[in-house]
Amino acid sequence: EIVLTQSPGTLSLSPGERATLSCRASQSVSSSYLAWYQHKPGQAPRLLIFGASNRATGIPDRFSGSGSGTDFTLTISRLEPEDFAVYYCQKYGTSTGYTFGQGTKLEIK
Amino acid sequence: EVQLVDSGGDLVQPGGSLRLSCAASGFTFNTHSMHWVRQAPGKGLEYVSAINSNGDTTFYADSVKGRFTISRDNSRNTVYLQMANLRAEDTAMYYCARSEPGRFSFDYWGQGTPVTVSS
C-alpha cells in the first residue's frame, strides 16, 4: 500500500508570502493520479490541482503543482487571506483506490 | 450548475444502520463515477467507497468493507451509502463527490452530512 506523507504538518506564514507544501509517496505514483485539495472548516473540500500540475476550473494561478515519482509539491506564490486552510494531497491506485495524505494546516503567522 | 446534496446523516447507536443519499443535478449523472469520503472529528479526509457510472463496479476501504454498501439509481440521479453494523469510529462528516471520466480526482463535492454513532 502506497502511503502519502505531507510536510510540514503545520505551516505558519503571513499574507503575501510564498507557501511550499510537500507530499511524498512511499512508492512511485503516476503524475496522472495525484491531486491537491483545499479544505476549510464547515465547507466541502475544493479541488485545486489534478494530474499533479493542472489547475482545476476557477483556481487562481497563484496555485501551482509540480513533481513526479515520489515527490510532489503544491506552491502558493503569494498568500491571500482566504488561502489559510488545510491542504491534502491524494493519489489513486488501481488496486488500492484513493488515498489522502494526512494534511498540512496553513495558518496565519 | 453542478450540485451534490448529501442527506441522511443522524445519531445512531452502535450496531445500528443508516442510509446516506446524495442527489445530483446539473450534469449527466450516468457518465460519472461517484464517491464517498469522510472526515472524523479532528482528523483528516478518509476515502470510503466508489461506484462506477453504470453501477457494476464498486470499491470499499478496508475499514468499511463488509459493512457498507454503495449503490446508485441513475433514473433518480442519486447515489447511496448503506451503512450497517456501525461503530463509534464511523462517526464523521460524510461527503459525496464525483469524478470526471478519465480523471482521478474529485471536482465537485456535496456539503456533507454528519453521522454520529453513540449510545
Side-chain angles (χ1 to χ4, degrees):
Chain A
E1 179 186 347
I2 299 176
V3 176
L4 298 179
T5 301
Q6 293 186 240
S7 61
T10 301
L11 185 57
S12 299
L13 294 170
S14 300
E17 291 192 292
R18 180 185 185 90
T20 303
L21 287 67
S22 172
C23 176
R24 180 161 291 177
S26 56
Q27 299 174 46
S28 184
V29 174
S30 168
S31 295
S32 298
Y33 296 165
L34 198 288
W36 289 92
Y37 299 84
Q38 177 191 69
H39 194 197
K40 297 180 181 179
Q43 297 185 19
R46 178 191 183 195
L47 176 65
L48 299 174
I49 301 289
F50 66 92
S53 61
N54 302 286
R55 269 188 302 276
T57 302
I59 301 303
D61 60 7
R62 64 180 182 273
F63 291 91
S64 63
S66 62
S68 63
T70 60
D71 290 299
F72 298 89
T73 300
L74 175 70
T75 301
I76 311 171
S77 59
R78 294 172 309 280
L79 285 166
E80 298 286 343
E82 61 268 26
D83 297 337
F84 292 92
V86 180
Y87 291 84
Y88 295 93
C89 59
Q90 175 210 49
K91 71 117 183 95
Y92 170 75
T94 52
S95 58
T96 57
Y98 294 85
T99 305
F100 290 93
Q102 85 279 14
T104 289
K105 181 180 181 180
L106 178 56
E107 64 177 23
I108 299 177
K109 187 174 182 180
Chain B
E1 178 191 5
V2 172
Q3 282 199 318
L4 299 174
V5 179
D6 304 322
S7 62
D10 205 347
L11 170 64
V12 60
Q13 292 190 339
S17 299
L18 203 59
R19 188 178 82 159
L20 307 183
S21 300
C22 171
S25 61
F27 65 100
T28 306
F29 182 71
N30 63 11
T31 62
H32 290 71
S33 294
M34 298 297 295
H35 311 264
W36 288 96
V37 176
R38 68 185 180 184
Q39 183 180 35
K43 303 293 185 180
L45 299 175
E46 179 189 15
Y47 189 71
V48 174
S49 185
I51 188 165
N52 70 341
S53 58
N54 62 17
D56 64 359
T57 301
T58 58
F59 177 89
Y60 300 95
D62 286 345
S63 58
V64 307
K65 199 173 295 183
R67 300 186 300 121
F68 289 13
T69 303
I70 191 171
S71 62
R72 65 190 295 159
D73 184 342
N74 284 347
S75 68
R76 297 178 182 267
N77 288 356
T78 302
V79 61
Y80 304 99
L81 187 67
Q82 180 70 48
M83 304 186 292
N85 192 18
L86 283 161
R87 307 166 180 167
E89 54 265 36
D90 296 317
T91 294
M93 182 69 77
Y94 284 73
Y95 299 96
C96 75
R98 78 162 202 183
S99 54
E100 284 270 31
R103 290 193 183 165
F104 304 93
S105 55
F106 309 146
D107 60 346
Y108 284 92
W109 296 64
Q111 82 288 356
T113 188
V115 173
T116 303
V117 184
S118 174
S119 54

